[in-house]
Amino acid sequence: MCGIVGYIGPKGAVPILLEGLKKLEYRGYDSAGIAVIEDKNLELRKAEGKLKVLDDKLSLEKFKGNIGLGHTRWATHGRPSDENAHPHQDCGGKLALVHNGIIENFQEIKRNLEKEGHTFSSETDTEVVVHLVEKFFSGNLSEAVQKATALLEGSYAIAVINQENPDQIVAYRQDSPLILGIGEGEYYLASDIPALLPYTRRVIILEDGEMVELNRENYRVIGPGGELLNKEIEEIDWDLEMAEKKGFPHYMLKEIHEQPDVMRQLLEKPLRGSEIELPEIDAILKSQEKIEKIFIVACGTAYHSGLIGKALLEKATGIPVEVDMASEFRYRSPLIGENSLVIVVSQSGETADTLAALRHARDKRAKTLGIVNVQGSTIAREADQLLLIEAGLEIAVASTKAYLNMLTAFNLLALKMGDGDIAGNENGELLHLLREIPAQVEKTLLRMEKPVRKAAEYIKNWDNAFFVGRGLDFSLALEGALKLKEISYIHAEAYAAGELKHGTLALIEEGIPVVALLTQESLLEKMISNIQEIRARGGYVFGITQDRFASRVAEEVDFLFKIPNTADIFAPLLGTVPLQLLSYFTADFRDCPIDQPRNLAKSVTVE
Ligand code: AGP
């Protein structure tokens, strides 16, 4: 939530800040702002709305200042407005500060500062920070930042500049990501790596409690105790092209089409021999007989992948698995102990609730495994073991390729931990089928576009839709419904098909769209009975099934999507494709801002 950028160097800061913010807009996009020091004057420009509004505003001015900060906001405290947009300033108007995160004790600090005579001009929690820095500032900005941050509770990455010293930026990280980019005679700051890639691949990822002081000639990273740190510079090998749309109208569609490749990439090493190679989980395998319980904890789409992970791991290992939404996990006092394995799943690796769940598990001395996309993210660094899902940069708020690779990672894990027997199949046969999946995803993409457009034409006119399935298909239905809600704003409910008759069937009316998943052989006839109950009440059913069941299913549904044949446990890997495309085209027909749906952000770093 919220993206921050900073620049100090020989070039004009404004275009660099704007370019960086464009790459971070996925983190929040309700308002944006920049501050630049221009001839020892602090110039601030802010604008409610998407970055484009600020960009247009700035195109009328020609700033030359070569030090500045930028911010793109996802509102937490105070509605989106020019006043609440960052950067924020102190009473004297000399300091400008940007912030990502939440200051939990801001009200108390604000009351005290007001008593001391400070006046506030926004409704944000952030503004207290710049006033605190002002209060402690007596010539040394780093010292003032250190004193101010010592009083803050919550999560925050901040950066601050002082118009009287146009040669310095000071930034601090606590529980919100912050990365320093090192260029040739210039330095950058950003909440995420893509904002730095056009300029440098040499980065330092700051840890909690660390402060960085950027000067024109050098930088200093200062540890929590005030000690100077000598941190390793990391080289980022990401492909910058990933951050472009490559001719697709939206990142989401591009990312859907990248799925065969990212899946191949993830499967390549583990499947190169006759047995699955996953050295990342060797330590877990060594202690597997001691594991009494597995917990999977995540949010949103990642949580949905965990539901499928549970089914696979229980089948494979015989160990009971519980799945929790990360925001609920630690508040229900889960019975975790040394013999628990806690798997946290996250695309961004920065989701606040998931990170808190991981830390809770570590406090309870459980073994932890992160299934994460973003290398170097906090969860990736803090989990005991790490399985990177290698989906590459995912920019669209709606997660697609990361979800698919989370499912793939769970399949690999289950096959590895199951030691050759999962769902009654021999490992060899399953490995063969798994190797085929990327090509089958490709085939499904080709097959689906036309029929999905037709189905989306139908669904786009409805305010409500249902997604039903049983077993693995129910977990997939939950993800299908979330995708549709998130980007098309159509209310969608996912139900275990057998549960409909216990109340929800009352909502089935003439013509209402119902997406029914029928990919599991053992549940096929049960699902067909449930579909008959729906159709008898007027529901219009879109079925998704494997080729081999198509002749049986065709007459039971109004519209049929066929995915290629595979083992039932792998069917969600293919079944997700029509669901993703269905939500995409429905949202497109409704003219929704697909990559940046209202009220949401890609990386949810607040609880
Ligand atoms: C996915 O489409 C959603 N935008 C959202 O549910 C997401 O999966 C969730 O916020 C978790 O994010 P993470 O994977 O980065 O932890």
Side-chain angles (χ1 to χ4, degrees), residues 126-184:
T126 302
E127 207 185 338
V128 300
V129 189
V130 70
H131 286 276
L132 275 181
V133 177
E134 177 181 35
K135 170 177 163 165
F136 293 120
F137 184 70
S138 57
N140 184 328
L141 191 57
S142 304
E143 250 175 51
V145 167
Q146 248 156 356
K147 285 182 184 160
T149 49
L151 299 180
L152 303 178
E153 284 166 22
S155 66
Y156 46 92
I158 57 164
V160 54
I161 51 177
N162 170 16
Q163 70 172 15
E164 287 180 348
N165 182 2
D167 299 323
Q168 190 179 65
I169 303 179
V170 176
Y172 187 95
R173 173 201 157 128
Q174 182 62 49
D175 284 331
S176 287
L178 190 60
I179 298 148
L180 160 64
I182 299 166
E184 295 296 324

Side-chain angles (χ1 to χ4, degrees), residues 252 256 259 299-302 304-305 394 396-404 406 467 476-494 575-587 592 594 597 600 602:
M252 182 179 176
I256 290 172
Q259 293 182 116
C299 298
T301 289
H304 294 155
S305 80
E394 192 181 62
V397 165
S399 182
T400 53
K401 58 176 181 169
Y403 172 69
L404 190 72
M406 285 168 187
F467 287 73
L476 190 57
L478 285 162
E479 174 58 10
L482 176 65
K483 280 292 89 90
L484 189 72
K485 282 186 269 211
E486 187 176 20
I487 61 165
S488 76
Y489 311 151
I490 293 174
H491 172 239
E493 287 293 332
T576 186
V577 175
L579 296 176
Q580 295 166 346
L581 290 171
L582 197 60
S583 63
Y584 174 82
F585 285 113
T586 307
C592 294
I594 293 182
L600 300 180
K602 182 72 180 164

